[in-house]
Amino acid sequence: MSAKGKVLVMDDEQIILDMTREVLKFLDYDVMSAKDGLAAIDLYAREKAAGAPFDIVILDLSVPSGLGGRETIVQLRKIDPGVKAVISSGYSDDPVVRDFSNHGFDEKLTKPYKIHDLKNMLEQIMNKPRA
């Protein structure tokens, strides 16, 4: 049985990466992770070039020691204008989170998120046609 899709998760907090990776595996997704935007961009480009692109990327809004989601999505859209992206943050009042679609994202995920919310959001985005 093949996975439902391939997801890239970028977050600077290891515990969030570990937990999200385990939940995504449980939900039958292939998952890879990155600690900051530069690593996410490199991984995205490498996997796309290898013919194994990601179906969805989940990007943390703020990465204090590196590139956050706002900057990362701009670069990912240059590599792949049809990238399906989710902004993830604990700051639900941030302008990027509130107005995610005008910042290049398909959806938002407010931390801490529930497995049910993550599952539903992923299924919704997987069924959306690529841009």
Side-chain angles (χ1 to χ4, degrees), residues 9 13 35 57 78 81 85 94 120:
V9 180
E13 294 184 55
K35 295 277 279 181
V57 296
K78 289 178 182 175
D94 186 281
N120 289 343

Side-chain angles (χ1 to χ4, degrees), residues 44 48 53-54 75-84 130:
Y44 191 94
K48 184 171 172 39
F54 290 98
Q75 299 305 315
L76 290 179
R77 291 243 176 249
K78 289 178 182 175
I79 296 167
D80 179 3
V83 62
K84 292 181 180 180
R130 287 178 70 90

Side-chain angles (χ1 to χ4, degrees), residues 87 91-101 103 108:
I87 190 69
Y91 304 105
S92 58
D93 59 343
D94 186 281
V96 176
V97 176
R98 276 199 327 263
D99 197 17
F100 61 89
S101 60
H103 290 275
K108 66 180 176 184

Side-chain angles (χ1 to χ4, degrees), residues 97-114:
V97 176
R98 276 199 327 263
D99 197 17
F100 61 89
S101 60
N102 284 330
H103 290 275
F105 294 95
D106 296 278
E107 194 51 75
K108 66 180 176 184
L109 200 53
T110 305
K111 294 180 198 173
Y113 38 86
K114 296 175 176 64

Side-chain angles (χ1 to χ4, degrees), residues 2 12 16 23-24 26 39 46 69 100 103 107 112 121-122 128:
S2 63
D12 63 317
I16 291 175
V23 169
L24 289 170
F26 175 77
R46 196 169 62 231
F100 61 89
H103 290 275
E107 194 51 75
M121 185 268 309
L122 288 171
K128 270 179 72 173

